[in-house]
Amino acid sequence: MGDRVHIKMCWSRALLTGWVLLLVQLQYLQAVPIGIDKTKVTETEKKPDEPPASVDTGLHYDRYLREVIDFLEKDQHFREKLHNTDMEDIKQGKLAQELDFVSHHVRTKLDELKRQEVNRLRTLIKAKHDLEGGNDIAVDHQALLKQFEHLNHMNPHTFEVEDLDRLIKSATNDLENFDKERHEEFKRYEMMKEHDRQEHLKTLDEEQRKKEEEHYEEMKKKHADHPKVNHPGSQNQLKEVWEEGDGLDPEDFDPKTFFNLHDTNGDGFFDEQELEALFTKELEKIYDPTNEEDDMVEMEEERLRMREHVMNEVDSNKDRLVSLDEFLVATKKKEFLEPDSWETLEQNQAYTDEEMREFEEHLTQQEQDLSQRTVDLQKQREELERQQEQLNAQKVELQQAVEHMERLKSDKVEPPPEVHGNAVPEVHAADNQLHPDQEAHPPGHQEIPQHHQDTPQEHHEQHNPDLPQQGQPQAHHDELSNQQDVAQGQHNLA
């Protein structure tokens, strides 16, 4: 009864932090080898109040997923509902309805997290848009956000029930397909490796090609020559870890003690990373990073195959976790005690001949598309160079026009300077030729232009035509009288 309660508590904790995260395909290249050397085994003390360390899911929205879980965990009501909800109900979105009852503080923080995630996605969209050469085209973020199904893009400001439901379902679906995508990626890797080998052979003469083929076959044979690999998850395989990794007597093997030793985060479950760590000893029989014939990418694929096999055999409720109960049940099965032999990758080619043929055709098409793209880019470059030449020519013409205008401006004749006081103006050669009207005047005589002989009053009147003409008749009469008096005086003298 105590064990059952304890397992229930561990299960609740696992659900709390792993209702999505622990449905994951982990990062295989960082699996930790087993190197425990224990001479005395004791039951490890469980600490259900301390959540297990979270692991990277590999999803592009992993950080957003983690932060949402962390803040939901802080709400007491949501945490209690989570403890009472099974994994199937979580996957179906029933837990998302409880979001309406979480505290205001948590909801406010979730709103902030969603806004940050939307901004992150918009930044990614803009960066991708710029890389594809669309700098001058407006980006419709609202339309492009539809491709991200882990949130409701129509409401970018607040975190609602639909957002939690979408996050759970998207992560569940993405993680379940993660292994399949990894296998496809590995298959492409193997086909590309074979393609490159065949292309290299085409560059060799007959004698060199023969030597290369012999070397290839020798490496394959050397790689296949390794100790027997135990069936993953079998008694023999686990006993070997118990003896060589834990330093314990294989005769004292105890499944429950083994489980507690290798439940490294103490949450009462084997997650995928903890399972993969159990296969390190078997993988070391096949792969050595210092050997030319051993490919470390293939080693990680082999690790993935082993983990998938054990999950299919042991994980009865398909939650991608192995509980203590599931593990103990599996150790009583015939497959655990008398397993079949394990076929390694070299015994199972990753691709078929038909898949290889299609892959070659795809590469050929890619090469043709790349060549066409190269031709198009070259034409664009030539066109840009031509336009640049035109611009340079226009620039030269414009510069010449500016220089011509500057010369015309500098060659323009300036007016003679104004004469002040006794200053004598400069006399040019052309000025020595006198006008016929000037010949009648003796030297030194300066003819005053007619407009300069105006009296001050006449000058004033010319510039002020609108002034009243008051007093003009009297002034004119006085002037005539003066002239007559002068004439009479001259006559009397004569």
Side-chain angles (χ1 to χ4, degrees):
M1 181 66 178
D3 285 345
R4 220 178 309 174
V5 173
H6 175 68
I7 293 170
K8 179 66 174 177
M9 292 175 63
C10 294
W11 169 241
S12 298
R13 172 55 57 187
L15 283 177
L16 178 62
T17 59
W19 44 273
V20 177
L21 282 175
L22 295 179
L23 299 176
V24 315
Q25 166 59 48
L26 305 172
Q27 299 298 315
Y28 306 102
L29 295 179
Q30 297 180 352
V32 181
I34 302 172
I36 305 173
D37 186 11
K38 301 181 180 68
T39 58
K40 189 179 293 184
V41 178
T42 58
E43 292 287 335
T44 57
E45 181 181 356
K46 301 296 181 185
K47 297 180 180 179
D49 292 335
E50 296 180 4
S54 58
V55 292
D56 189 354
T57 63
L59 301 176
H60 72 87
Y61 51 92
D62 174 78
R63 180 176 178 179
Y64 175 62
L65 180 62
R66 289 167 179 266
E67 291 177 337
V68 168
I69 293 173
D70 289 343
F71 274 93
L72 285 174
E73 180 187 4
K74 296 177 181 179
D75 184 84
Q76 183 177 357
H77 170 80
F78 194 89
R79 185 166 60 247
E80 290 175 355
K81 288 294 183 180
L82 182 60
H83 290 174
N84 298 321
T85 307
D86 60 33
M87 184 61 68
E88 194 59 33
D89 288 340
I90 292 176
K91 291 180 181 180
Q92 292 177 2
K94 294 181 180 180
L95 185 65
Q97 303 300 323
E98 300 299 327
L99 183 66
D100 289 333
F101 303 100
V102 302
S103 67
H104 174 72
H105 169 70
V106 173
R107 288 297 295 269
T108 301
K109 185 60 181 179
L110 292 176
D111 293 344
E112 180 183 345
L113 292 176
K114 182 178 179 180
R115 288 192 292 269
Q116 292 174 355
E117 177 68 4
V118 171
N119 289 335
R120 184 186 71 86
L121 296 177
R122 285 173 174 169
T123 301
L124 290 176
I125 291 172
K126 181 63 167 61
K128 181 180 179 181
H129 185 72
D130 292 345
L131 286 174
E132 292 174 351
N135 301 31
D136 299 330
I137 304 175
V139 180
D140 187 354
H141 288 97
Q142 195 68 12
L144 294 175
L145 282 171
K146 293 180 180 180
Q147 63 186 298
F148 302 108
E149 299 180 353
H150 64 284
L151 50 73
N152 177 16
H153 67 279
M154 298 302 294
N155 174 19
H157 305 295
T158 59
F159 189 95
E160 306 295 341
V161 171
E162 183 180 356
D163 291 294
L164 182 56
D165 186 47
R166 281 172 172 261
L167 185 60
I168 294 173
K169 291 180 178 179
S170 295
T172 301
N173 182 67
D174 292 343
L175 293 170
E176 287 177 349
N177 293 328
F178 203 83
D179 285 350
K180 181 179 179 181
E181 294 174 0
R182 279 291 304 273
H183 287 307
E184 290 298 320
E185 182 181 351
F186 174 74
K187 183 187 295 185
R188 289 191 294 271
Y189 169 80
E190 288 290 289
M191 290 189 291
M192 179 57 75
K193 190 166 68 171
E194 176 62 18
H195 169 78
D196 291 341
R197 190 181 74 86
Q198 294 294 338
E199 290 298 312
H200 175 65
L201 290 176
K202 293 178 182 179
T203 64
L204 306 177
D205 57 33
E206 184 175 354
E207 182 178 355
Q208 291 175 327
R209 190 181 304 113
K210 183 178 179 181
K211 290 181 178 180
E212 188 68 24
E213 290 283 13
E214 290 176 352
H215 177 72
Y216 174 72
E217 293 298 327
E218 181 183 353
M219 290 298 100
K220 285 179 60 177
K221 182 178 179 181
K222 186 177 180 181
H223 173 70
D225 184 17
H226 54 71
K228 178 185 176 181
V229 177
N230 292 311
H231 195 96
S234 66
Q235 178 176 260
N236 292 337
Q237 191 255 317
L238 298 184
K239 276 189 174 182
E240 196 168 289
V241 175
W242 174 276
E243 179 180 8
E244 297 183 13
D246 300 335
L248 302 174
D249 189 341
E251 299 299 325
D252 296 332
F253 178 76
D254 176 65
K256 185 176 180 180
T257 302
F258 181 89
F259 185 93
N260 292 332
L261 282 172
H262 296 279
D263 176 19
T264 55
N265 62 6
D267 65 350
F269 295 88
F270 275 163
D271 58 35
E272 294 175 336
Q273 189 177 31
E274 290 167 334
L275 276 179
E276 291 175 2
L278 299 178
F279 310 137
T280 300
K281 291 295 180 183
E282 298 303 317
L283 294 170
E284 288 175 350
K285 298 177 182 178
I286 314 172
Y287 299 95
D288 184 344
T290 63
N291 292 339
E292 176 188 356
E293 68 274 10
D294 297 335
D295 189 334
M296 294 299 103
V297 175
E298 293 179 356
M299 183 186 77
E300 296 307 320
E301 175 67 13
E302 190 74 76
R303 191 192 301 273
L304 173 59
R305 293 177 67 240
M306 290 180 173
R307 189 260 296 161
E308 285 181 326
H309 173 75
V310 172
M311 278 294 188
N312 290 333
E313 294 288 327
V314 182
D315 181 21
S316 58
N317 64 358
K318 305 304 176 184
D319 63 352
R320 300 175 76 94
L321 297 169
V322 176
S323 66
L324 177 60
D325 281 347
E326 289 173 327
F327 181 74
L328 294 178
V329 169
T331 59
K332 296 179 174 62
K333 292 180 179 180
K334 180 181 178 181
E335 291 81 2
F336 179 77
L337 302 174
E338 300 176 7
D340 296 330
S341 60
W342 177 255
E343 294 184 353
T344 56
L345 274 176
E346 70 264 11
Q347 299 170 287
N348 294 273
Q349 185 168 287
Y351 54 87
T352 64
D353 293 341
E354 178 65 19
E355 288 173 330
M356 186 65 192
R357 184 185 64 80
E358 293 177 355
F359 182 75
E360 294 281 359
E361 292 176 355
H362 178 68
L363 289 180
T364 301
Q365 184 62 45
Q366 280 187 328
E367 184 177 354
Q368 293 175 353
D369 294 342
L370 184 60
S371 298
Q372 183 60 45
R373 178 62 175 164
T374 302
V375 171
D376 294 341
L377 289 174
Q378 181 63 29
K379 290 180 179 179
Q380 292 179 11
R381 178 181 177 181
E382 293 173 355
E383 176 63 19
L384 290 174
E385 290 177 349
R386 185 186 65 80
Q387 294 178 3
Q388 185 63 45
E389 291 177 357
Q390 291 179 348
L391 290 175
N392 291 339
Q394 293 175 2
K395 183 178 179 180
V396 171
E397 292 177 0
L398 180 61
Q399 184 64 31
Q400 292 175 348
V402 171
E403 293 175 354
H404 179 66
M405 294 296 294
E406 292 293 336
R407 285 195 300 271
L408 291 178
K409 184 177 179 180
S410 62
D411 293 344
K412 184 177 180 180
V413 178
E414 297 293 338
E418 184 178 356
V419 179
H420 297 283
N422 298 324
V424 178
E426 181 180 356
V427 179
H428 298 279
D431 295 337
N432 294 329
Q433 299 178 2
L434 296 178
H435 192 274
D437 294 338
Q438 297 173 333
E439 294 178 355
H441 299 286
H445 175 78
Q446 183 176 2
E447 182 179 0
I448 301 175
Q450 183 63 34
H451 66 273
H452 286 169
Q453 296 178 5
D454 293 341
T455 64
Q457 182 173 349
E458 289 174 339
H459 179 75
H460 180 71
E461 291 173 357
Q462 290 177 2
H463 290 282
N464 298 274
D466 296 332
L467 292 176
Q469 301 298 317
Q470 299 177 0
Q472 285 189 10
Q474 182 63 35
H476 183 64
H477 175 73
D478 294 340
E479 183 179 356
L480 290 176
S481 298
N482 292 334
Q483 292 177 356
Q484 292 175 359
D485 293 340
V486 171
Q488 185 63 35
Q490 292 176 350
H491 177 73
N492 294 332
L493 290 174

